[in-house]
């Protein structure tokens, strides 16, 4: 099926160039690859507040001197504190205490066009009081998640508003380039939210492969030069995950996989280091369908998920050669 193009390849190139430059600056700052990919908005907030990103990707999001901070950044003014499965009040409260025991303050920030528009801050005890109150009185469903929007957030007792940026820019050049990437992306019609979840890496891969991005972002990740959708899987590790949600009946599982594969020409699986793609593999849709069905129809896990390793795809001769 030929798809409607949302952003042509030539329009993606300036965006990709800016993102690549931001990756280079992040590397020069000592920011880990995956931390940058997942925490672009956190960098903007850290620069605004005069903080530094915490290393390692665990514990706090940022720090300054001896204080540790939790960040929540949003372009929709909605903030999610997701703690996994709902295991009942007592277990949930224990989990909150354990996760935030070393956090001094929690910051929630609204972003517009890469600029910090408003920031709310709660000291640890204030945050714990409100989070625990939510758990005791309002939490329902199978997921342990507290979602709160801006107006209800700033109405909570003890919440303070920060009205001015720090006079110290901790990531000045990097923050400026990130904002440039966001502005360029929005100029060609991309949603700013791609920078909240690492989806901007699709821009890099599409630019590399000569692909375009579809108008409807609910379908395939990109469009090849024949106008057919393709899937992207990008990793900085050793796994490409094809996840189809919770396992259902055998017939439903088969139908789900077949429908997914029939809607694409194939899947590009790329190993990334910062903005560089070290290896790219291409699995045609028919081969992908066969491999997924052979594996997933025999497995019994609760989740319908298949992992492929780069070494496995290399042995199966799926390496995709592309000039630098």
């Amino acid at each position: 099926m030929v798809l409607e193009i949302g952003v042509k390849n030539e329009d993606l190139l300036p965006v990709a160039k800016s993102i690549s430059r931001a990756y280079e600056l992040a590397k020069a700052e000592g920011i880990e690859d995956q931390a940058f990919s997942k925490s672009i908005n956190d960098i903007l907030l850290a620069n605004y507040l005069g903080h530094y990103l915490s290393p390692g990707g665990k514990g706090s999001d940022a720090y300054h001197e001896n204080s540790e901070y939790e960040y929540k950044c949003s372009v929709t003014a909605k903030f999610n504190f997701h703690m996994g499965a709902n295991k009942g009040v007592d277990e949930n409260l224990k989990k909150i205490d354990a996760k935030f025991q070393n956090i001094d303050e929690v910051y929630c920030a609204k972003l517009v066009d890469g600029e910090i528009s408003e920031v709310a801050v709660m000291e640890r005890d204030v945050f714990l009081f409100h989070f625990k109150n939510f758990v005791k009185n309002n939490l329902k469903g199978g997921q342990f998640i507290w979602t709160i929007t801006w107006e209800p957030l700033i109405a909570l007792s003890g919440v303070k508003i920060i009205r001015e940026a720090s006079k110290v820019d901790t990531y000045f050049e990097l923050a400026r380039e990130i904002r440039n990437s966001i502005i360029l992306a929005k100029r060609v019609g991309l949603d700013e939210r791609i920078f909240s979840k690492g989806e901007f890496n699709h821009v890099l891969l599409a630019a590399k492969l000569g692909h375009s991005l579809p108008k409807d972002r609910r379908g395939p990740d990109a469009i090849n030069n024949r106008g057919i959708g393709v899937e992207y899987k990008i990793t900085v590790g050793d796994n490409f995950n094809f996840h189809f949600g919770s396992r259902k009946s055998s017939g439903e599982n088969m139908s789900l996989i077949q429908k997914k594969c029939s809607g694409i020409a194939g899947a590009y699986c790329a190993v990334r280091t910062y903005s560089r793609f070290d290896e790219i593999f291409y699995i045609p849709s028919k081969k992908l369908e066969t491999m997924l069905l052979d594996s997933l129809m025999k497995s019994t896990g609760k989740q319908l998920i298949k992992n492929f390793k780069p070494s496995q795809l290399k042995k199966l001769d799926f390496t995709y050669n592309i000039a630098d």
Side-chain angles (χ1 to χ4, degrees):
M1 181 179 68
V2 177
L3 299 171
E4 184 179 0
I5 291 175
V7 186
K8 295 179 181 179
N9 178 263
E10 56 263 35
D11 293 329
L12 290 174
L13 299 182
V15 187
K17 185 177 180 180
S18 180
I19 293 171
S20 295
R21 173 66 177 153
Y23 263 122
E24 291 171 9
L25 291 168
K27 185 177 181 181
E29 291 280 2
I31 296 174
E32 296 168 349
D33 186 347
Q34 196 151 3
F36 175 81
S37 184
K38 291 183 175 180
S39 307
I40 272 191
N41 289 335
D42 285 359
I43 294 169
L44 296 174
L45 181 55
N47 183 67
Y48 183 88
L49 296 171
H51 297 166
Y52 295 91
L53 287 192
S54 297
K58 293 182 180 179
S60 65
D61 293 314
Y63 71 94
H64 182 257
E65 296 180 347
N66 295 320
S67 296
E68 304 282 337
Y69 309 117
E70 177 82 5
Y71 283 176
K72 291 296 176 185
C73 301
S74 175
V75 299
T76 61
K78 181 186 291 185
F79 306 95
N80 296 313
F81 295 88
H82 192 196
M83 306 283 286
N86 181 359
K87 296 185 177 181
V89 172
D90 291 342
E91 288 299 315
N92 291 343
L93 295 178
K94 288 179 185 176
K95 194 167 187 178
I96 291 174
D97 284 330
K99 178 173 174 58
F100 297 101
Q101 62 181 334
N102 296 318
I103 299 297
D104 294 289
E105 293 175 326
V106 177
Y107 291 85
C108 297
K110 291 166 59 178
L111 290 93
V112 179
D113 295 337
E115 299 284 353
I116 304 295
S117 65
E118 294 184 280
V119 181
V121 59
M122 291 173 275
E123 293 182 356
R124 177 179 177 273
D125 289 346
V126 172
F127 171 75
L128 292 181
F129 173 80
H130 293 300
F131 199 176
K132 289 181 177 183
N133 186 57
F134 169 79
V135 169
K136 293 172 185 175
N137 300 300
N138 301 104
L139 179 62
K140 297 179 177 62
Q143 290 298 303
F144 180 9
I145 183 170
W146 180 28
T147 299
I148 188 166
T149 54
W150 181 256
E151 294 301 330
L153 172 68
I154 63 174
L156 296 175
S157 61
V159 174
K160 300 174 184 177
I161 305 298
I162 295 177
R163 303 193 182 279
E164 292 185 1
S166 166
K167 291 181 172 59
V168 178
D169 290 291
T170 46
Y171 300 108
F172 177 75
E173 283 191 63
L174 175 54
R176 182 173 61 182
E177 194 60 56
I178 290 171
R179 287 192 292 269
N180 185 50
S181 298
I182 293 171
I183 290 168
L184 290 172
K186 292 189 73 174
R187 191 174 294 165
V188 298
L190 293 172
D191 193 313
E192 186 176 350
R193 285 175 291 184
I194 68 170
F195 292 92
S196 302
K197 51 187 178 179
E199 194 181 344
F200 61 89
N201 287 312
H202 289 184
V203 173
L204 292 176
L205 187 55
K208 179 78 170 175
L209 296 172
H211 293 167
S212 300
L213 297 183
K215 186 172 183 178
D216 185 352
R217 302 297 291 141
R218 295 170 296 179
D221 295 319
I223 301 173
N224 65 18
N225 55 16
R226 292 180 292 143
I228 303 173
V230 292
E231 179 90 354
Y232 284 171
K233 297 296 179 184
I234 303 173
T235 185
V236 295
D238 198 35
N239 276 308
F240 301 111
N241 300 320
F242 289 82
H243 190 201
F244 297 90
S246 300
R247 186 177 293 276
K248 300 179 176 64
S249 69
S250 179
E252 288 174 310
N253 294 337
M254 180 181 292
S255 176
L256 186 62
I257 293 168
Q258 289 174 333
K259 182 178 179 180
K260 178 72 172 181
C261 293
S262 67
I264 58 174
Y268 289 87
C269 302
V271 180
R272 181 184 60 75
T273 303
Y274 288 94
S275 63
R276 186 184 74 244
F277 292 104
D278 303 312
E279 292 182 291
I280 300 176
F281 305 94
Y282 177 66
I283 313 173
S285 58
K286 287 296 183 184
K287 288 275 190 181
L288 179 62
E289 181 181 320
T290 299
M291 293 165 68
L292 290 172
L293 288 174
D294 283 349
S295 174
L296 294 176
M297 297 308 290
K298 296 174 184 176
S299 61
T300 58
K302 291 182 178 180
Q303 294 295 308
L304 200 62
I305 184 170
K306 172 62 180 174
N307 299 322
F308 293 110
K309 292 188 175 295
S311 58
Q312 179 185 4
L313 297 183
K314 189 178 292 185
K315 286 180 181 178
L316 293 170
D317 200 27
F318 288 125
T319 300
Y320 183 84
N321 295 314
I322 183 168
D324 291 330

